[in-house]
Structure formats: C-alpha cells, structure tokens
Amino acid sequence: MKKYRIILKDNLIREITSDDLEILRLQKNLNKEFFFHKNDISEEDQLKWYGGYLKREEDWMMVCYGDYGDIWGIMGVRKLEGDILDFYNIIRVKKLENTSMKDTFLEFIYFMKNLYPTYRIQVEVLMNNPAIGWYESVGFKKTKYLEQSVIMNF
C-alpha cells in the first residue's frame, strides 16, 4: 500500500486514507456540476473507487490538513502516458486564515516536478468550471480545447 506524507513549508499533506473517504465523497457530491462524473457517489461507489485507487501506483490523492488534523483541501495527481503529470480533484474543503490553497498547490506542483523533472504538468477542466480563472492565476495556460473541457498546462 502507498503511504506518503509531505511537509511543504507550513502546510501538511498526506495521502488519503479510508478515514477520509466520506469527506471526499461529500465534497464531490456537493460540487458535481464541476466534475466529469455527474452522478451522486454512494458510500459503496466510494469504497470501490478507493480499492482501485490503492492498486494504481502512479496515482496520488492527497489531503491538506492543519495543525489539529482538520482537512481543508484535497488534491490529486496521476502520471499519464506521454510523460504527463495530470493534477485533478483540486478541492478546497474550507478556508483557513493562514493557509492558501494556491500556495499549497504550487508547492505540491514543484514537489512533483522535482520527482519527475521531464514531465509536463496539466489539468483538464470542464468549460463551465469557474476554477479555470483560478488555474490561470496559479500559472496554467489553456493549450487545447476539447468538446466539454480544456487542457491547461503549467
């Protein structure tokens, strides 16, 4: 089983565990119009996803958490063919005073880029997702338009 814990400046990031599945499921269900999977995710569906996730060695779903263990963000990254690091499910669960999702995301990008220096960094975002502007503010540029989404590269 994969186990990762990363300390990025003042922010803590660790790999998701079975204890985090409910918060991930609820956040995706609350914001499903901005994700590719549009149906509500049941607890059973989430457990099936997690079982598959644990078998995928080149897929990391991380939670960002504070000093008291409270989760304030979620972010995933997976290696795709063609030397691509595809970041996905970037979700801010709650806002903390001294923590920036943007800064933490950038730190995580640079951490992964150090591990895979020749890989391109991308996100694929649905056209209706207001996060497109946020990704642009982080440094992503639109590089390819698809039928319902846009590929953005860092």
Side-chain angles (χ1 to χ4, degrees), residues 25-36:
R25 184 181 80 82
L26 292 174
Q27 288 299 312
K28 288 199 70 177
N29 284 346
L30 282 172
N31 299 289
K32 64 186 168 199
E33 71 269 20
F34 303 124
F35 291 100
F36 290 91

Side-chain angles (χ1 to χ4, degrees), residues 1 4 7 44 51 59 73 91-94 102 108 113 125 131 140-142:
M1 187 162 108
Y4 294 93
I7 299 174
E44 182 181 328
D59 186 352
I91 305 168
R92 184 175 76 188
V93 175
K94 66 181 178 179
K102 183 177 177 180
F108 189 47
K113 190 68 174 158
V125 188
F140 284 84
K141 305 267 188 262
K142 296 173 188 165

Side-chain angles (χ1 to χ4, degrees), residues 3 9 21 29 50 68 70 80 119-121 130 153:
K3 281 287 183 200
K9 291 188 182 173
L21 294 180
N29 284 346
Y50 188 62
Y68 303 104
D70 51 329
L80 300 180
Y119 279 60
R120 289 182 297 139
I121 306 289
N153 289 97

Side-chain angles (χ1 to χ4, degrees), residues 78-116:
R78 59 188 159 216
K79 285 171 53 179
L80 300 180
E81 289 183 33
D83 293 346
I84 296 170
L85 289 175
D86 180 55
F87 286 80
Y88 69 102
N89 285 348
I90 311 303
I91 305 168
R92 184 175 76 188
V93 175
K94 66 181 178 179
K95 187 173 176 126
L96 297 181
E97 279 185 36
N98 297 320
T99 304
S100 163
M101 189 70 176
K102 183 177 177 180
D103 291 342
T104 304
F105 184 45
L106 282 168
E107 290 177 33
F108 189 47
I109 287 171
Y110 293 130
F111 176 85
M112 293 303 294
K113 190 68 174 158
N114 283 331
L115 291 178
Y116 302 98

Side-chain angles (χ1 to χ4, degrees), residues 6 11 20 37 63 78 81 85 89 97 111 134 151 154:
I6 306 166
N11 303 307
D20 305 315
H37 181 84
V63 294
R78 59 188 159 216
E81 289 183 33
L85 289 175
N89 285 348
E97 279 185 36
F111 176 85
W134 184 81
I151 303 288
F154 186 74

